[in-house]
Amino acid sequence: MPTGSTEKIPFEKLYQDGEKLGPLMPWNIGGPQPAVRTICDAGGFHGKVLDLGCGLGDNALYLASQGLRVSAVDISEVAVECGRDKARHNGVTVEFQVADAFSLATSGPQYDVILDSAFFHTLPAEESPRYTELLQAICNDGAELHLFTFSKELTPDYPGPRRVSESELREAFSADWDIKVIEATRYHSSLPVEAVAQMVDPRTFEVDAPTDNLSDQMVDEAGNVVSLIWHMHAVLRPQETRSETRA
């Protein structure tokens, strides 16, 4: 069984202090990520869906509003309760769970699509094998993965979580997954450029962000930063054919 932990980053404190420490929660945009919504609207989600590291639940809520069966997990009790409140308010059903994601491995295969919207890059690089083992443990054969992660190639100096290269993604996943595409897409934030320049490292709570590389940063209509990140779409091979192709 894969072992690992998402407890290295104090997410519970981030959510509890979210209003006071706004720059710590740039992913709280008050709705689903547009890239996730686009994939959903194009039929990219089906069957039973898991939102892994769901945060405040906005992506999960949108998927459920489109008639999908959605489960969502996050280590933060505050975040999950917020998601449950939103679900009740909007009359949609999402099976929310407070848990370390790695604890799901004991549940066995049950998911047809995994959504990872900015969860993978919160893990140390050395936990990538445990992460892929987790996915294999909880996914049905032929399950699909939509993974969004900050990129070494696209945002090498941008403040925030660790960067993942295209080659790292291929090395981590190609043994057991057919990678359909790794492409640049847009990730929206709740922060203007000035706030991004004061970003706080969530591991240390210290200001640790360059300010000289943000002058050409994309912004949305509200003036909030939009970053280019990787979107990887992959399909899990049948059990008997896994680990036959290496990156």
Side-chain angles (χ1 to χ4, degrees):
M1 183 183 75
T3 59
S5 176
T6 56
E7 295 180 353
K8 296 180 178 66
I9 301 175
F11 283 108
E12 191 70 358
K13 179 173 176 58
L14 302 191
Y15 288 112
Q16 288 174 344
D17 295 343
E19 293 299 321
K20 180 175 63 176
L21 302 174
L24 289 172
M25 295 180 60
W27 59 86
N28 181 16
I29 63 173
Q33 280 291 328
V36 173
R37 182 170 183 161
T38 296
I39 293 170
C40 179
D41 293 351
F45 293 91
H46 58 87
K48 190 172 183 180
V49 180
L50 174 65
D51 184 354
L52 197 58
C54 65
L56 297 166
D58 293 301
N59 289 325
L61 291 167
Y62 182 75
L63 299 179
S65 75
Q66 302 306 297
L68 291 158
R69 291 179 294 150
V70 182
S71 296
V73 63
D74 200 278
I75 200 169
S76 168
E77 185 175 349
V78 173
V80 168
E81 190 55 42
C82 180
R84 288 171 175 158
D85 287 344
K86 291 179 183 179
R88 286 189 290 266
H89 178 75
N90 290 283
V92 297
T93 299
V94 174
E95 183 185 348
F96 282 105
Q97 181 179 354
V98 180
D100 186 304
F102 288 96
S103 69
L104 300 182
T106 58
S107 65
Q110 57 180 303
Y111 297 107
D112 301 303
V113 184
I114 303 294
L115 170 63
D116 178 336
S117 180
F119 172 73
F120 180 68
H121 63 215
T122 69
L123 302 173
E126 60 268 22
E127 289 200 356
S128 292
R130 296 188 178 109
Y131 176 89
T132 57
E133 290 172 12
L134 167 66
L135 295 188
Q136 291 179 54
I138 63 177
C139 285
N140 297 319
D141 284 353
E144 298 186 55
L145 170 65
H146 288 286
L147 184 150
F148 297 86
T149 183
F150 274 81
S151 160
K152 282 185 178 179
E153 294 88 346
L154 302 175
T155 49
D157 299 320
Y158 189 81
R162 77 178 181 95
R163 302 295 179 271
V164 180
S165 68
E166 179 179 356
S167 62
E168 182 181 343
L169 287 173
R170 293 190 183 279
E171 181 177 358
F173 290 92
S174 62
D176 301 298
W177 297 76
D178 288 323
I179 297 176
K180 301 302 183 182
V181 67
I182 299 176
E183 60 187 354
T185 192
R186 297 184 177 190
Y187 185 83
H188 288 245
S189 80
S190 60
L191 302 180
V193 172
E194 295 78 10
V196 171
Q198 299 299 316
M199 278 284 289
V200 177
D201 186 327
R203 291 176 175 82
T204 63
F205 286 88
E206 296 177 354
V207 175
D208 183 22
T211 58
D212 58 356
N213 64 336
L214 299 175
S215 59
D216 297 325
Q217 180 66 53
M218 289 187 296
V219 296
D220 61 18
E221 60 275 7
N224 294 325
V225 167
V226 178
S227 304
L228 288 175
I229 67 170
W230 287 137
H231 164 231
M232 184 182 75
H233 175 212
V235 178
L236 184 63
R237 296 193 187 99
Q239 177 69 47
E240 63 272 14
T241 64
R242 295 179 197 169
S243 301
E244 294 181 355
T245 303
R246 294 290 173 183

